[in-house]
Amino acid sequence: MASLTAVGADEIGSKGTGDEFYAWCARGELRLRRCNACREWCHVPRVTCPDCASTDWTWEPVKGTGRLYTWTVVHRAMHPAFMGDVPYAVVVVELDEGPRIVSGMVDCPIEALEMEMPVEVVFERSDRWGDRVLPRFRRTAGGPSGKAKGAR
Amino acid sequence: MADPGRKRACIVGIGETKYGRDKGAAHTNLGLQLEASIKAISDAGLTRRDIDGVMPFQGLANAEEIVANLGCDKVRFAATVAMGGASPVGSLALAADVLAAGRANAILIPAGWAAFSGPRTRELVLDPARLPGGVIANDYYFPHGYTAPMQWYAVMAQRHMYEFGTKREHLGAVAVAMRKHAQLNPNAVMRGRPMTMADYLASPMLADPYKMLDCCIETDGAAAFVVTTEERARDLGKPIVRVEAAAAAQPHPADEITNRKNIFETGLGRAAPEAFGRAGVRHADLDFAMIYDCFTFELIHQIEELGLCKRGEGGPFVEGGRIELGGELPINTHGGLLSEAHVVGMNHVVEAVRQLRGDCGARQVANAELGVVTGWGDFGDGSVAILARG
């Protein structure tokens, strides 16, 4: 049975492709893995392409725009690292390229969250779980309308 | 029957500890499971030396220590199905195949934990390495505060409410029904604590749309059951509870919950048609259902995935007392994970057996002959068993 205690920040470094993903974020770029064989985008990043099993891929920039696909507003943190942040929204953004990405909102009160709302990426440093520059999202200013509601 | 020649397995023994929430209890995961196991073996009319297979729940006790403590010296099959809360019913599905293949004659399936007095469930997931797709959770979920099952599943519930008009009151109807059933169950932790829709609506929000009363309870307790061949079961003199068919499946991808082509896809959606097809029964024939109710929406979701209604219609399905005792399809007559105890779904199997034996007393479904049990685990793994009175 694995440890039942909280993991310390020094143990958090990625064992997968996360370090590369976040290295791009630290440079202010949202890049996803894209398969060079079948051209499918892939998030979360994987070792092989889930569509064609190719291992030939590139970290390719995405536009960073998308729609709010769904969310939850956390009123009681289930992990001590986030207790000071409540209430906070965990959002799932469907990027224009197709993949969905788990993130959070910047400059958006929780009452303003709306399904299909257009959003765009911003980068924000966080030390809540490791010390990383995270891709977060904000409402697209005067942007195109989402399916459900007009731009605010 | 779809495959009349196939040998079917039977559940011949069930055992449960007292379910409780006592901070001072000195329970261990192993001790609780041994108590439930001894009861199940005895209930079957078997002895420890008859048990030649064991399928423990991942991470709560291992086969070797269970077998050593029970003194089962004839074990030739031991395996663990790693599907989170879908494991007990997933284990039953595998056990049925193992029995049919002759690899074992009597298989013990135990699970349980001191999830109240010991490490709390919410603490168990602090280490993302323990999660399915642990690196994914570590790298892409936890940094945004997406750290717990309640939150992972809440985003599906929220989208379902948006796409299909599922209402807050639908979630509430599930919570109220489970609590109502618990009032008729002496071993339910929430017996004596009735709840109304108004109570539900007033409960604090934890992860929108989940309020506290949408969530299963953390409890101490264990349950076990013994599975054997139908031939052997007939010699034991107990009422026969036959596994007509059982199946398990994973959604794709199983290790990431937000990127399925259809976010509502689950393992159960594929396992259920397989099980109903092999059993050769129709949904309309069911007398009851025991559905893994870790959170209220997951029960509604699985009603759809089972095929009891179309996707999107699960909310209206639970309206008007339909899932309550006396309703069209009583669900979780024991009170479920929401109001009896969180025994990782073992209690759903035990309750189904009790219903089919006619041993449910005040909460007995009249003439219960056929029922379905589901399991839900991790990021949407699913399992299902169709059980019949023999």
Side-chain angles (χ1 to χ4, degrees), chain B residues 231-264:
Chain B
E231 189 181 21
R232 186 84 190 275
R234 298 229 171 257
D235 292 338
L236 292 172
K238 282 270 176 183
I240 297 289
V241 174
R242 199 171 51 222
V243 182
E244 296 292 78
Q250 293 186 331
H252 178 73
D255 60 356
E256 212 277 282
I257 197 166
T258 67
N259 259 297
R260 290 169 196 150
K261 286 200 166 59
N262 185 320
I263 200 167
F264 303 116

PDB file of all heavy atoms in Angstrom, chain B residues 231-264:
ATOM      1  N   GLU B 231     -23.727 -26.351  -8.938  1.00  0.00           N
ATOM      2  CA  GLU B 231     -23.806 -27.749  -8.487  1.00  0.00           C
ATOM      3  C   GLU B 231     -23.522 -27.852  -6.985  1.00  0.00           C
ATOM      4  O   GLU B 231     -24.270 -28.450  -6.211  1.00  0.00           O
ATOM      5  CB  GLU B 231     -22.766 -28.540  -9.287  1.00  0.00           C
ATOM      6  CG  GLU B 231     -22.825 -30.013  -9.137  1.00  0.00           C
ATOM      7  CD  GLU B 231     -21.708 -30.667  -9.967  1.00  0.00           C
ATOM      8  OE1 GLU B 231     -20.711 -29.988 -10.306  1.00  0.00           O
ATOM      9  OE2 GLU B 231     -21.847 -31.849 -10.282  1.00  0.00           O
ATOM     10  N   ARG B 232     -22.419 -27.193  -6.601  1.00  0.00           N
ATOM     11  CA  ARG B 232     -22.032 -27.201  -5.186  1.00  0.00           C
ATOM     12  C   ARG B 232     -23.059 -26.466  -4.341  1.00  0.00           C
ATOM     13  O   ARG B 232     -23.412 -26.899  -3.235  1.00  0.00           O
ATOM     14  CB  ARG B 232     -20.662 -26.524  -5.067  1.00  0.00           C
ATOM     15  CG  ARG B 232     -20.040 -26.566  -3.687  1.00  0.00           C
ATOM     16  CD  ARG B 232     -19.305 -27.888  -3.499  1.00  0.00           C
ATOM     17  NE  ARG B 232     -18.889 -28.076  -2.115  1.00  0.00           N
ATOM     18  CZ  ARG B 232     -17.764 -27.590  -1.603  1.00  0.00           C
ATOM     19  NH1 ARG B 232     -16.971 -26.873  -2.355  1.00  0.00           N
ATOM     20  NH2 ARG B 232     -17.448 -27.810  -0.350  1.00  0.00           N
ATOM     21  N   ALA B 233     -23.542 -25.361  -4.867  1.00  0.00           N
ATOM     22  CA  ALA B 233     -24.503 -24.537  -4.132  1.00  0.00           C
ATOM     23  C   ALA B 233     -25.769 -25.345  -3.808  1.00  0.00           C
ATOM     24  O   ALA B 233     -26.331 -25.215  -2.721  1.00  0.00           O
ATOM     25  CB  ALA B 233     -24.864 -23.299  -4.939  1.00  0.00           C
ATOM     26  N   ARG B 234     -26.178 -26.179  -4.723  1.00  0.00           N
ATOM     27  CA  ARG B 234     -27.402 -26.967  -4.513  1.00  0.00           C
ATOM     28  C   ARG B 234     -27.236 -27.949  -3.349  1.00  0.00           C
ATOM     29  O   ARG B 234     -28.209 -28.327  -2.717  1.00  0.00           O
ATOM     30  CB  ARG B 234     -27.781 -27.722  -5.790  1.00  0.00           C
ATOM     31  CG  ARG B 234     -28.073 -26.801  -6.951  1.00  0.00           C
ATOM     32  CD  ARG B 234     -29.391 -27.118  -7.668  1.00  0.00           C
ATOM     33  NE  ARG B 234     -29.686 -26.050  -8.619  1.00  0.00           N
ATOM     34  CZ  ARG B 234     -30.592 -25.087  -8.432  1.00  0.00           C
ATOM     35  NH1 ARG B 234     -31.322 -25.070  -7.332  1.00  0.00           N
ATOM     36  NH2 ARG B 234     -30.768 -24.142  -9.330  1.00  0.00           N
ATOM     37  N   ASP B 235     -25.990 -28.363  -3.084  1.00  0.00           N
ATOM     38  CA  ASP B 235     -25.732 -29.292  -1.975  1.00  0.00           C
ATOM     39  C   ASP B 235     -25.724 -28.605  -0.621  1.00  0.00           C
ATOM     40  O   ASP B 235     -25.759 -29.261   0.407  1.00  0.00           O
ATOM     41  CB  ASP B 235     -24.364 -29.972  -2.170  1.00  0.00           C
ATOM     42  CG  ASP B 235     -24.368 -30.908  -3.376  1.00  0.00           C
ATOM     43  OD1 ASP B 235     -25.471 -31.331  -3.776  1.00  0.00           O
ATOM     44  OD2 ASP B 235     -23.279 -31.183  -3.907  1.00  0.00           O
ATOM     45  N   LEU B 236     -25.620 -27.281  -0.625  1.00  0.00           N
ATOM     46  CA  LEU B 236     -25.418 -26.562   0.641  1.00  0.00           C
ATOM     47  C   LEU B 236     -26.731 -26.218   1.345  1.00  0.00           C
ATOM     48  O   LEU B 236     -26.733 -25.812   2.497  1.00  0.00           O
ATOM     49  CB  LEU B 236     -24.597 -25.286   0.409  1.00  0.00           C
ATOM     50  CG  LEU B 236     -23.142 -25.530   0.018  1.00  0.00           C
ATOM     51  CD1 LEU B 236     -22.460 -24.235  -0.383  1.00  0.00           C
ATOM     52  CD2 LEU B 236     -22.377 -26.191   1.163  1.00  0.00           C
ATOM     53  N   GLY B 237     -27.826 -26.363   0.641  1.00  0.00           N
ATOM     54  CA  GLY B 237     -29.112 -26.204   1.297  1.00  0.00           C
ATOM     55  C   GLY B 237     -29.574 -24.784   1.536  1.00  0.00           C
ATOM     56  O   GLY B 237     -30.572 -24.556   2.197  1.00  0.00           O
ATOM     57  N   LYS B 238     -28.827 -23.814   1.019  1.00  0.00           N
ATOM     58  CA  LYS B 238     -29.254 -22.409   1.146  1.00  0.00           C
ATOM     59  C   LYS B 238     -30.097 -22.038  -0.061  1.00  0.00           C
ATOM     60  O   LYS B 238     -29.972 -22.661  -1.109  1.00  0.00           O
ATOM     61  CB  LYS B 238     -28.016 -21.500   1.168  1.00  0.00           C
ATOM     62  CG  LYS B 238     -27.303 -21.468   2.485  1.00  0.00           C
ATOM     63  CD  LYS B 238     -27.876 -20.365   3.348  1.00  0.00           C
ATOM     64  CE  LYS B 238     -27.224 -20.403   4.723  1.00  0.00           C
ATOM     65  NZ  LYS B 238     -27.782 -19.402   5.609  1.00  0.00           N
ATOM     66  N   PRO B 239     -30.933 -20.990   0.056  1.00  0.00           N
ATOM     67  CA  PRO B 239     -31.606 -20.502  -1.161  1.00  0.00           C
ATOM     68  C   PRO B 239     -30.559 -20.136  -2.216  1.00  0.00           C
ATOM     69  O   PRO B 239     -29.517 -19.561  -1.880  1.00  0.00           O
ATOM     70  CB  PRO B 239     -32.347 -19.257  -0.685  1.00  0.00           C
ATOM     71  CG  PRO B 239     -32.399 -19.351   0.806  1.00  0.00           C
ATOM     72  CD  PRO B 239     -31.219 -20.175   1.227  1.00  0.00           C
ATOM     73  N   ILE B 240     -30.821 -20.501  -3.436  1.00  0.00           N
ATOM     74  CA  ILE B 240     -29.837 -20.294  -4.511  1.00  0.00           C
ATOM     75  C   ILE B 240     -29.904 -18.854  -5.033  1.00  0.00           C
ATOM     76  O   ILE B 240     -30.971 -18.357  -5.381  1.00  0.00           O
ATOM     77  CB  ILE B 240     -30.132 -21.257  -5.678  1.00  0.00           C
ATOM     78  CG1 ILE B 240     -29.979 -22.712  -5.232  1.00  0.00           C
ATOM     79  CG2 ILE B 240     -29.251 -20.953  -6.883  1.00  0.00           C
ATOM     80  CD1 ILE B 240     -28.574 -23.151  -4.984  1.00  0.00           C
ATOM     81  N   VAL B 241     -28.756 -18.213  -5.072  1.00  0.00           N
ATOM     82  CA  VAL B 241     -28.647 -16.901  -5.727  1.00  0.00           C
ATOM     83  C   VAL B 241     -27.630 -17.052  -6.844  1.00  0.00           C
ATOM     84  O   VAL B 241     -26.430 -17.191  -6.605  1.00  0.00           O
ATOM     85  CB  VAL B 241     -28.225 -15.798  -4.735  1.00  0.00           C
ATOM     86  CG1 VAL B 241     -27.979 -14.493  -5.483  1.00  0.00           C
ATOM     87  CG2 VAL B 241     -29.287 -15.604  -3.667  1.00  0.00           C
ATOM     88  N   ARG B 242     -28.143 -17.074  -8.059  1.00  0.00           N
ATOM     89  CA  ARG B 242     -27.314 -17.424  -9.215  1.00  0.00           C
ATOM     90  C   ARG B 242     -26.841 -16.169  -9.946  1.00  0.00           C
ATOM     91  O   ARG B 242     -27.602 -15.215 -10.108  1.00  0.00           O
ATOM     92  CB  ARG B 242     -28.138 -18.304 -10.153  1.00  0.00           C
ATOM     93  CG  ARG B 242     -27.321 -19.117 -11.137  1.00  0.00           C
ATOM     94  CD  ARG B 242     -28.199 -20.120 -11.869  1.00  0.00           C
ATOM     95  NE  ARG B 242     -29.368 -19.473 -12.423  1.00  0.00           N
ATOM     96  CZ  ARG B 242     -30.597 -19.980 -12.385  1.00  0.00           C
ATOM     97  NH1 ARG B 242     -30.829 -21.145 -11.829  1.00  0.00           N
ATOM     98  NH2 ARG B 242     -31.607 -19.318 -12.918  1.00  0.00           N
ATOM     99  N   VAL B 243     -25.602 -16.206 -10.401  1.00  0.00           N
ATOM    100  CA  VAL B 243     -25.067 -15.123 -11.231  1.00  0.00           C
ATOM    101  C   VAL B 243     -25.451 -15.435 -12.671  1.00  0.00           C
ATOM    102  O   VAL B 243     -24.843 -16.293 -13.312  1.00  0.00           O
ATOM    103  CB  VAL B 243     -23.524 -15.018 -11.094  1.00  0.00           C
ATOM    104  CG1 VAL B 243     -22.995 -13.850 -11.921  1.00  0.00           C
ATOM    105  CG2 VAL B 243     -23.125 -14.878  -9.628  1.00  0.00           C
ATOM    106  N   GLU B 244     -26.483 -14.781 -13.171  1.00  0.00           N
ATOM    107  CA  GLU B 244     -26.935 -15.059 -14.537  1.00  0.00           C
ATOM    108  C   GLU B 244     -25.902 -14.605 -15.551  1.00  0.00           C
ATOM    109  O   GLU B 244     -25.680 -15.259 -16.564  1.00  0.00           O
ATOM    110  CB  GLU B 244     -28.270 -14.360 -14.811  1.00  0.00           C
ATOM    111  CG  GLU B 244     -29.397 -14.873 -13.930  1.00  0.00           C
ATOM    112  CD  GLU B 244     -29.777 -16.321 -14.252  1.00  0.00           C
ATOM    113  OE1 GLU B 244     -29.041 -17.223 -13.819  1.00  0.00           O
ATOM    114  OE2 GLU B 244     -30.789 -16.540 -14.917  1.00  0.00           O
ATOM    115  N   ALA B 245     -25.282 -13.461 -15.277  1.00  0.00           N
ATOM    116  CA  ALA B 245     -24.172 -12.967 -16.097  1.00  0.00           C
ATOM    117  C   ALA B 245     -23.532 -11.812 -15.353  1.00  0.00           C
ATOM    118  O   ALA B 245     -24.196 -11.123 -14.576  1.00  0.00           O
ATOM    119  CB  ALA B 245     -24.652 -12.502 -17.471  1.00  0.00           C
ATOM    120  N   ALA B 246     -22.255 -11.625 -15.587  1.00  0.00           N
ATOM    121  CA  ALA B 246     -21.555 -10.489 -14.978  1.00  0.00           C
ATOM    122  C   ALA B 246     -20.475 -10.037 -15.941  1.00  0.00           C
ATOM    123  O   ALA B 246     -19.924 -10.846 -16.686  1.00  0.00           O
ATOM    124  CB  ALA B 246     -20.951 -10.875 -13.630  1.00  0.00           C
ATOM    125  N   ALA B 247     -20.190  -8.745 -15.939  1.00  0.00           N
ATOM    126  CA  ALA B 247     -19.205  -8.201 -16.875  1.00  0.00           C
ATOM    127  C   ALA B 247     -18.590  -6.937 -16.286  1.00  0.00           C
ATOM    128  O   ALA B 247     -19.157  -6.323 -15.371  1.00  0.00           O
ATOM    129  CB  ALA B 247     -19.869  -7.890 -18.222  1.00  0.00           C
ATOM    130  N   ALA B 248     -17.446  -6.564 -16.821  1.00  0.00           N
ATOM    131  CA  ALA B 248     -16.777  -5.336 -16.380  1.00  0.00           C
ATOM    132  C   ALA B 248     -16.094  -4.712 -17.590  1.00  0.00           C
ATOM    133  O   ALA B 248     -15.719  -5.413 -18.529  1.00  0.00           O
ATOM    134  CB  ALA B 248     -15.757  -5.640 -15.298  1.00  0.00           C
ATOM    135  N   ALA B 249     -15.952  -3.392 -17.575  1.00  0.00           N
ATOM    136  CA  ALA B 249     -15.283  -2.714 -18.689  1.00  0.00           C
ATOM    137  C   ALA B 249     -14.758  -1.364 -18.232  1.00  0.00           C
ATOM    138  O   ALA B 249     -15.184  -0.832 -17.200  1.00  0.00           O
ATOM    139  CB  ALA B 249     -16.249  -2.535 -19.866  1.00  0.00           C
ATOM    140  N   GLN B 250     -13.841  -0.843 -19.016  1.00  0.00           N
ATOM    141  CA  GLN B 250     -13.282   0.478 -18.744  1.00  0.00           C
ATOM    142  C   GLN B 250     -13.732   1.459 -19.819  1.00  0.00           C
ATOM    143  O   GLN B 250     -13.913   1.068 -20.971  1.00  0.00           O
ATOM    144  CB  GLN B 250     -11.754   0.421 -18.771  1.00  0.00           C
ATOM    145  CG  GLN B 250     -11.158  -0.404 -17.647  1.00  0.00           C
ATOM    146  CD  GLN B 250      -9.652  -0.316 -17.621  1.00  0.00           C
ATOM    147  OE1 GLN B 250      -9.017  -0.116 -18.645  1.00  0.00           O
ATOM    148  NE2 GLN B 250      -9.074  -0.468 -16.455  1.00  0.00           N
ATOM    149  N   PRO B 251     -13.864   2.726 -19.442  1.00  0.00           N
ATOM    150  CA  PRO B 251     -14.091   3.737 -20.476  1.00  0.00           C
ATOM    151  C   PRO B 251     -12.766   4.015 -21.187  1.00  0.00           C
ATOM    152  O   PRO B 251     -11.712   3.557 -20.723  1.00  0.00           O
ATOM    153  CB  PRO B 251     -14.530   4.960 -19.684  1.00  0.00           C
ATOM    154  CG  PRO B 251     -13.833   4.802 -18.361  1.00  0.00           C
ATOM    155  CD  PRO B 251     -13.692   3.312 -18.111  1.00  0.00           C
ATOM    156  N   HIS B 252     -12.803   4.759 -22.274  1.00  0.00           N
ATOM    157  CA  HIS B 252     -11.562   5.101 -22.974  1.00  0.00           C
ATOM    158  C   HIS B 252     -11.445   6.610 -23.176  1.00  0.00           C
ATOM    159  O   HIS B 252     -12.368   7.216 -23.710  1.00  0.00           O
ATOM    160  CB  HIS B 252     -11.499   4.418 -24.334  1.00  0.00           C
ATOM    161  CG  HIS B 252     -10.271   4.792 -25.105  1.00  0.00           C
ATOM    162  ND1 HIS B 252      -9.023   4.319 -24.771  1.00  0.00           N
ATOM    163  CD2 HIS B 252     -10.086   5.649 -26.137  1.00  0.00           C
ATOM    164  CE1 HIS B 252      -8.126   4.857 -25.590  1.00  0.00           C
ATOM    165  NE2 HIS B 252      -8.743   5.656 -26.429  1.00  0.00           N
ATOM    166  N   PRO B 253     -10.330   7.223 -22.729  1.00  0.00           N
ATOM    167  CA  PRO B 253      -9.260   6.589 -21.953  1.00  0.00           C
ATOM    168  C   PRO B 253      -9.674   6.424 -20.498  1.00  0.00           C
ATOM    169  O   PRO B 253     -10.378   7.273 -19.965  1.00  0.00           O
ATOM    170  CB  PRO B 253      -8.103   7.578 -22.081  1.00  0.00           C
ATOM    171  CG  PRO B 253      -8.761   8.909 -22.281  1.00  0.00           C
ATOM    172  CD  PRO B 253     -10.031   8.642 -23.033  1.00  0.00           C
ATOM    173  N   ALA B 254      -9.186   5.337 -19.856  1.00  0.00           N
ATOM    174  CA  ALA B 254      -9.597   5.043 -18.489  1.00  0.00           C
ATOM    175  C   ALA B 254      -8.831   5.880 -17.472  1.00  0.00           C
ATOM    176  O   ALA B 254      -9.247   5.999 -16.333  1.00  0.00           O
ATOM    177  CB  ALA B 254      -9.393   3.554 -18.199  1.00  0.00           C
ATOM    178  N   ASP B 255      -7.704   6.460 -17.884  1.00  0.00           N
ATOM    179  CA  ASP B 255      -6.843   7.143 -16.913  1.00  0.00           C
ATOM    180  C   ASP B 255      -7.015   8.665 -16.934  1.00  0.00           C
ATOM    181  O   ASP B 255      -6.260   9.381 -16.281  1.00  0.00           O
ATOM    182  CB  ASP B 255      -5.375   6.766 -17.150  1.00  0.00           C
ATOM    183  CG  ASP B 255      -4.878   7.152 -18.537  1.00  0.00           C
ATOM    184  OD1 ASP B 255      -5.687   7.647 -19.365  1.00  0.00           O
ATOM    185  OD2 ASP B 255      -3.679   6.960 -18.811  1.00  0.00           O
ATOM    186  N   GLU B 256      -7.986   9.175 -17.714  1.00  0.00           N
ATOM    187  CA  GLU B 256      -8.173  10.632 -17.798  1.00  0.00           C
ATOM    188  C   GLU B 256      -9.657  10.889 -18.000  1.00  0.00           C
ATOM    189  O   GLU B 256     -10.252  10.412 -18.959  1.00  0.00           O
ATOM    190  CB  GLU B 256      -7.355  11.184 -18.976  1.00  0.00           C
ATOM    191  CG  GLU B 256      -6.825  12.585 -18.746  1.00  0.00           C
ATOM    192  CD  GLU B 256      -7.840  13.682 -19.056  1.00  0.00           C
ATOM    193  OE1 GLU B 256      -8.043  13.997 -20.239  1.00  0.00           O
ATOM    194  OE2 GLU B 256      -8.427  14.227 -18.089  1.00  0.00           O
ATOM    195  N   ILE B 257     -10.234  11.649 -17.071  1.00  0.00           N
ATOM    196  CA  ILE B 257     -11.703  11.671 -16.995  1.00  0.00           C
ATOM    197  C   ILE B 257     -12.346  12.782 -17.831  1.00  0.00           C
ATOM    198  O   ILE B 257     -13.552  12.772 -18.047  1.00  0.00           O
ATOM    199  CB  ILE B 257     -12.134  11.764 -15.513  1.00  0.00           C
ATOM    200  CG1 ILE B 257     -13.607  11.361 -15.330  1.00  0.00           C
ATOM    201  CG2 ILE B 257     -11.857  13.138 -14.916  1.00  0.00           C
ATOM    202  CD1 ILE B 257     -13.994  11.103 -13.893  1.00  0.00           C
ATOM    203  N   THR B 258     -11.566  13.719 -18.355  1.00  0.00           N
ATOM    204  CA  THR B 258     -12.188  14.856 -19.040  1.00  0.00           C
ATOM    205  C   THR B 258     -12.089  14.794 -20.573  1.00  0.00           C
ATOM    206  O   THR B 258     -12.668  15.624 -21.252  1.00  0.00           O
ATOM    207  CB  THR B 258     -11.556  16.199 -18.592  1.00  0.00           C
ATOM    208  OG1 THR B 258     -10.195  16.260 -19.047  1.00  0.00           O
ATOM    209  CG2 THR B 258     -11.593  16.351 -17.089  1.00  0.00           C
ATOM    210  N   ASN B 259     -11.324  13.843 -21.106  1.00  0.00           N
ATOM    211  CA  ASN B 259     -11.053  13.866 -22.556  1.00  0.00           C
ATOM    212  C   ASN B 259     -11.680  12.718 -23.336  1.00  0.00           C
ATOM    213  O   ASN B 259     -11.213  12.372 -24.422  1.00  0.00           O
ATOM    214  CB  ASN B 259      -9.556  13.919 -22.824  1.00  0.00           C
ATOM    215  CG  ASN B 259      -9.121  15.351 -23.169  1.00  0.00           C
ATOM    216  OD1 ASN B 259      -9.556  15.901 -24.175  1.00  0.00           O
ATOM    217  ND2 ASN B 259      -8.320  15.959 -22.320  1.00  0.00           N
ATOM    218  N   ARG B 260     -12.747  12.128 -22.779  1.00  0.00           N
ATOM    219  CA  ARG B 260     -13.445  11.119 -23.592  1.00  0.00           C
ATOM    220  C   ARG B 260     -14.231  11.829 -24.676  1.00  0.00           C
ATOM    221  O   ARG B 260     -14.729  12.935 -24.455  1.00  0.00           O
ATOM    222  CB  ARG B 260     -14.371  10.297 -22.694  1.00  0.00           C
ATOM    223  CG  ARG B 260     -13.505   9.438 -21.804  1.00  0.00           C
ATOM    224  CD  ARG B 260     -14.185   8.743 -20.689  1.00  0.00           C
ATOM    225  NE  ARG B 260     -13.110   8.333 -19.777  1.00  0.00           N
ATOM    226  CZ  ARG B 260     -13.232   8.206 -18.464  1.00  0.00           C
ATOM    227  NH1 ARG B 260     -14.384   8.420 -17.888  1.00  0.00           N
ATOM    228  NH2 ARG B 260     -12.189   7.857 -17.743  1.00  0.00           N
ATOM    229  N   LYS B 261     -14.330  11.192 -25.812  1.00  0.00           N
ATOM    230  CA  LYS B 261     -15.023  11.838 -26.926  1.00  0.00           C
ATOM    231  C   LYS B 261     -16.407  12.259 -26.478  1.00  0.00           C
ATOM    232  O   LYS B 261     -16.870  13.346 -26.763  1.00  0.00           O
ATOM    233  CB  LYS B 261     -15.060  10.919 -28.147  1.00  0.00           C
ATOM    234  CG  LYS B 261     -13.685  10.841 -28.807  1.00  0.00           C
ATOM    235  CD  LYS B 261     -13.727  10.378 -30.244  1.00  0.00           C
ATOM    236  CE  LYS B 261     -12.409  10.644 -30.952  1.00  0.00           C
ATOM    237  NZ  LYS B 261     -11.256   9.975 -30.311  1.00  0.00           N
ATOM    238  N   ASN B 262     -17.068  11.362 -25.723  1.00  0.00           N
ATOM    239  CA  ASN B 262     -18.302  11.747 -25.042  1.00  0.00           C
ATOM    240  C   ASN B 262     -18.012  11.662 -23.542  1.00  0.00           C
ATOM    241  O   ASN B 262     -17.685  10.590 -23.033  1.00  0.00           O
ATOM    242  CB  ASN B 262     -19.448  10.809 -25.423  1.00  0.00           C
ATOM    243  CG  ASN B 262     -20.753  11.275 -24.823  1.00  0.00           C
ATOM    244  OD1 ASN B 262     -20.807  11.725 -23.679  1.00  0.00           O
ATOM    245  ND2 ASN B 262     -21.820  11.171 -25.596  1.00  0.00           N
ATOM    246  N   ILE B 263     -18.140  12.778 -22.864  1.00  0.00           N
ATOM    247  CA  ILE B 263     -17.713  12.821 -21.458  1.00  0.00           C
ATOM    248  C   ILE B 263     -18.541  11.881 -20.584  1.00  0.00           C
ATOM    249  O   ILE B 263     -18.140  11.507 -19.487  1.00  0.00           O
ATOM    250  CB  ILE B 263     -17.744  14.266 -20.918  1.00  0.00           C
ATOM    251  CG1 ILE B 263     -16.860  14.388 -19.668  1.00  0.00           C
ATOM    252  CG2 ILE B 263     -19.165  14.737 -20.654  1.00  0.00           C
ATOM    253  CD1 ILE B 263     -16.575  15.810 -19.234  1.00  0.00           C
ATOM    254  N   PHE B 264     -19.706  11.452 -21.066  1.00  0.00           N
ATOM    255  CA  PHE B 264     -20.565  10.565 -20.280  1.00  0.00           C
ATOM    256  C   PHE B 264     -20.280   9.081 -20.510  1.00  0.00           C
ATOM    257  O   PHE B 264     -20.933   8.226 -19.940  1.00  0.00           O
ATOM    258  CB  PHE B 264     -22.045  10.874 -20.558  1.00  0.00           C
ATOM    259  CG  PHE B 264     -22.396  12.301 -20.269  1.00  0.00           C
ATOM    260  CD1 PHE B 264     -22.814  13.155 -21.277  1.00  0.00           C
ATOM    261  CD2 PHE B 264     -22.246  12.811 -18.989  1.00  0.00           C
ATOM    262  CE1 PHE B 264     -23.103  14.482 -21.011  1.00  0.00           C
ATOM    263  CE2 PHE B 264     -22.528  14.144 -18.710  1.00  0.00           C
ATOM    264  CZ  PHE B 264     -22.966  14.987 -19.731  1.00  0.00           C
TER     265      PHE B 264
END
